[in-house]
Structures are given as structure tokens and as C-alpha cells.
Amino acid sequence: MVAGHVLAVGGANMDIIASAGQALRSGDSTPGKVRASPGGVARNVAENLARLGDAVGLISVVGDDAPGHALLAATRQAGVNVSGCQVLIGAATASYVSVHEPDGTLALAVNDMQVLEQLTPASLAPQAQAVRDAALLVLDCNLSDAALGWVFAQRAASHEPAPVFADAVSAPKCLRLRPWLAQIHTLKLNRLEAQALSGLPVNSPAEIEAAARALHAQGVAQVIVSLGAQGLYFSSATQCGWQTALTVPVLNTTGAGDALLAGFAHSHLRHAALPEAARFAAGCAALTLTTPTANHPELSVTLVAQCLNEHATR
């Protein structure tokens, strides 16, 4: 790793994505397509940032198995420094199995992230300097309480603590962030996660705004609430607003939220205003929705600009 890099710490897994060719029926087999591709929240954000032109490294763990080696090779090929990833003999690489309706909507998912429990303070210790040197940290809540505590401790030991961009991952897992909310710059959540962390309902625009204010009161500088096809809400201490979702043909929703967070992180590194960052991030997410995998293989700043321009002229 080199000083000034972005460092993503968290999940790396193989995505097994099943897309139904017709409406799903409980208890029955449905024709469709099944694909395997690299995934994991932190890993996806890292790949998106690399494709957008940022220097980025990943700290994660995989098993010494075929999926693990394929995962690292694909991530490295995308431009991510994977020297901080551990390969564990005898462990199984994490996996995420998702089933989608014909319109791309997620119907259900199961994840096996047990290998991430091996990311302990002791195993992470060799990466302490990389964390301290980072220009921006991306964390996901697949990390254990102990691993999160270690990362925040290393950040605090830095002469210039990096801003932390955190992905809540799920309603149960996002609660791991409670002790660290005051140290988080940007927090990306969906409705369920926002409700879990704020303790407030999020059924209306006014309630979403109130939940964001509650998180600001606990120290979070920027709150991003992803609302799927309804777009997103963004807020800071000085400004807030709504960004509509771009209308695109949806093939798969997995990874769109990770692209969204990458868009905000990329924009922050370039000192973009929050509304501008929200628009760019929405473009990243929209492009990802049009691919059958969790990452757009040709994502670039130029492609995002083209996407945004096309929608502006419609």
C-alpha cells in the first residue's frame, strides 16, 4: 500500500446469483439463469473505486480454495491492491447466494461469511500502517466488533485520521457501528438499517429526514439513505436533499448499493459538493443495475458522465 490510498476493509465473497425467468413460486423450481461472480461489500466498493481511477487496497480474508483464488485474481485484475488479503488454509471462502425476480428485484438471499471471523486484531496487526496511511477508509459491517474496534484504534493513532465511509450491510449487523458513530464521516444505509440504528420509523420522507437527524446527533457527518427505485436521501450538518434514481433496464440489483457508496467516496476525494456527489453516485448505481453481476466491468468516470448526460436530455 502507498500513502494516500483508499483502503477498504471487510467482506469479499463469491456471489451466486440466480435470476428467475418467470415469477417465483414458493416451494417450486423456476427456470432462469445462475451465475457466479466476485462480490462482497468492501470488495465491490474497492473494485468500483479502482475502475473510477482511484488507488485502492483491500483488507479481507478468503479460503485457500478455488473460489478464493479466483476472487483475488479478479479483484487484482480490476486494479485493486490485494496484498492485505489473507488466504486461510482449510477455510471456505465466503459466499452470497441471491435469488432475483425477473425484473431484477431481490427475492431472498443467504450469506455465509464465517471466514470473516478470522479477521481478528491479531491477524490484522500487519496492516496497521496501511490503515494509518489511508486517505479514506471504507468499512462494512461484516467485520466483527473486535475488528471494527481495531480499525478505529489504528485510525485514531494516525497523524491525519482518514474519513470513514461505512456501509451498514444489514439491519442486524449495522448495530455493530453504534460505538463508532461519532467517528464515521459518511454512513450508507437502507430503510431497515436506518430504522435499526436511529430507533425511529422511516416510512415517509419526513421520517427519513428525522432518522438522519438522529444519526447526525450521534456524530455522523453525512447520512445516505438508499431507497432503491425511489432514489436516495442525503444529508449533512449544512445541507440535505433527494436524488431521484435514474431509469435504466434492471438486470440485477446486487452491488448497486456498493457502487453508490463508491461514487460518494470518489466524489469526496475530489471535494465535490454533496448534491453533486449524490448525482454521480446515482449514475454509478444505475450502471451497475444494468449488468448481470455485482460490478459493472466497464465502469469509468467517462461512462458515468455519459449516463448522466443521457438522462439529463430525456
Side-chain angles (χ1 to χ4, degrees):
M1 307 290 182
V2 295
H5 63 281
V6 179
L7 187 60
V9 188
N13 54 258
M14 267 300 176
D15 284 344
I16 311 299
I17 302 172
S19 301
Q22 59 192 54
L24 290 165
R25 295 179 61 183
S26 178
D28 197 7
S29 175
T30 305
K33 294 182 178 180
V34 179
R35 309 175 175 82
S37 62
V41 175
R43 197 217 68 86
N44 287 346
V45 175
E47 175 171 334
N48 284 312
L49 285 169
R51 294 191 183 281
L52 291 171
D54 297 308
V56 56
L58 174 68
I59 294 178
S60 191
V61 60
V62 300
D64 186 18
D65 51 19
H69 291 293
L71 193 60
L72 292 183
T75 307
R76 187 184 300 111
Q77 186 175 12
V80 179
N81 183 333
V82 297
S83 63
C85 292
Q86 305 169 32
V87 180
L88 298 184
I89 297 174
T93 296
S95 58
Y96 171 80
V97 180
S98 61
V99 180
H100 299 258
E101 296 283 2
D103 65 357
T105 303
L106 177 66
L108 57 89
V110 176
N111 67 76
D112 178 359
M113 310 295 286
Q114 293 183 38
V115 70
L116 281 170
E117 295 174 6
Q118 302 304 313
L119 277 180
T120 63
S123 69
L124 287 165
Q127 305 302 324
Q129 196 60 50
V131 175
R132 295 173 187 177
D133 289 343
L136 187 149
L137 289 167
V138 176
L139 307 179
D140 74 39
C141 290
N142 287 306
L143 296 171
S144 67
D145 293 327
L148 283 168
W150 180 88
V151 173
F152 280 106
Q154 302 314 308
R155 173 184 177 273
S158 173
H159 293 298
E160 296 184 30
V164 174
F165 280 53
D167 191 293
V169 175
S170 71
K173 290 183 178 180
C174 72
L175 300 180
R176 298 172 181 173
L177 290 176
R178 275 183 171 164
W180 315 109
L181 289 177
Q183 298 186 46
I184 294 174
H185 181 279
T186 296
L187 175 60
K188 197 274 289 182
L189 327 92
N190 62 22
R191 286 181 187 269
L192 291 177
E193 296 153 1
Q195 180 169 297
L197 263 182
S198 69
L200 298 173
V202 289
N203 300 312
S204 69
E207 289 179 344
I208 291 171
E209 293 173 2
R213 287 195 297 270
L215 293 169
H216 289 314
Q218 297 181 66
V220 181
Q222 289 185 172
V223 174
I224 311 300
V225 183
S226 175
L227 304 169
Q230 296 176 310
L232 64 93
Y233 174 74
F234 58 87
S235 68
S236 69
T238 58
Q239 57 187 325
C240 62
W242 300 84
Q243 169 65 49
T244 58
L246 306 186
T247 303
V248 295
V250 177
L251 291 184
N252 168 40
T253 57
T254 300
D258 306 331
L260 187 79
L261 184 59
F264 275 102
H266 176 83
S267 298
H268 177 80
L269 291 170
R270 284 149 186 80
H271 310 290
L274 189 52
E276 179 185 346
R279 185 168 178 269
F280 181 83
C284 293
L287 288 167
T288 303
L289 289 169
T290 66
T291 63
T293 58
N295 297 271
H296 195 297
E298 297 178 5
L299 185 71
S300 68
V301 172
T302 300
L303 191 62
V304 175
Q306 291 174 351
C307 177
L308 294 173
N309 288 336
E310 289 174 4
H311 282 80
T313 57
R314 287 181 182 177

